[in-house]
Amino acid sequence: MHGINGVKYLSTIIAVALRTIYDLNKGKTRLIAAAVSSGIATIGSTYWDIVIDWGLLRRNSRNPWLRDKLVVPNKSVYFVAIVLNVLLRLAWMQTVLGITEAPFLHRTALTAVVAALEIIRRGIWNFFRLENEHLNNVGKYRAFKSVPLPFYYDDNDTKHA
């Protein structure tokens, strides 16, 4: 599993390197290499987020396409998070495709918007990642929902010397 995670990060490093090479020396072949590597890195990272980190998209789950145990009672929240994660992961692709300005935004403003969207995506990712980790730890008895104190304490039990 760690090796596969390493390949995921390596694909992102390769995508960034190819994008940098394209920026330094433009060319159709370099653009295609940057776009393809970025697409592969995006698909791999998105799959990893949803399936591995969040534990979702389980076909045979009691909660179809989610997982057996859920913390948030409204299941649609998970599907909205999946869609948002995909869309927000794609937001950075605008730089790979050469979209550095929008008719209604200056280049610097567009960079700030994309950065803010990435912060939002990471916040959403963090919530569902921690939820999945907690449920796995509790379910496999690696953690407890409450930890008893190692000493006895009772307000009514006062001893006078």
Side-chain angles (χ1 to χ4, degrees), residues 7 17-18 39-42 60 65 68 70 90 93 95 97 100 103 105 111 127 134 149 155 161:
V7 169
L18 289 174
I40 290 169
T42 299
N60 300 323
W65 295 107
D68 288 337
L70 302 173
L90 291 174
M93 286 290 288
T95 59
L97 299 174
T100 56
L105 284 176
T111 302
F127 175 84
H134 173 72
L149 296 173
D155 283 339

Side-chain angles (χ1 to χ4, degrees), residues 30-46:
R30 289 182 187 91
L31 175 61
I32 291 170
V36 168
S37 64
S38 296
I40 290 169
T42 299
I43 290 168
S45 295
T46 302

Side-chain angles (χ1 to χ4, degrees), residues 3-4 30 38 40 47-49 66 84 94 117 131 150 152:
I4 296 170
R30 289 182 187 91
S38 296
I40 290 169
Y47 175 84
W48 190 274
D49 285 353
L66 298 176
L84 276 174
Q94 55 83 29
L117 291 174
E131 175 194 66
Y152 177 77

Side-chain angles (χ1 to χ4, degrees), residues 4-16 36-57 81-82 84-93 118 121-122 125-126 129:
I4 296 170
N5 194 21
V7 169
K8 177 192 75 158
Y9 281 108
L10 180 62
S11 72
T12 302
I13 292 168
I14 290 169
V16 170
V36 168
S37 64
S38 296
I40 290 169
T42 299
I43 290 168
S45 295
T46 302
Y47 175 84
W48 190 274
D49 285 353
I50 296 167
V51 175
I52 307 299
D53 286 344
W54 295 358
L56 301 176
L57 297 182
I82 290 170
L84 276 174
N85 190 59
V86 171
L87 293 175
L88 294 175
R89 273 243 182 231
L90 291 174
W92 76 275
M93 286 290 288
E118 179 61 12
R121 188 197 67 76
R122 287 176 186 236
W125 173 88
N126 193 41
R129 173 70 176 97

Side-chain angles (χ1 to χ4, degrees), residues 100-119:
T100 56
E101 290 189 31
F104 53 90
L105 284 176
H106 185 271
R107 169 184 257 171
T108 306
L110 184 61
T111 302
V113 167
V114 170
L117 291 174
E118 179 61 12
I119 291 168

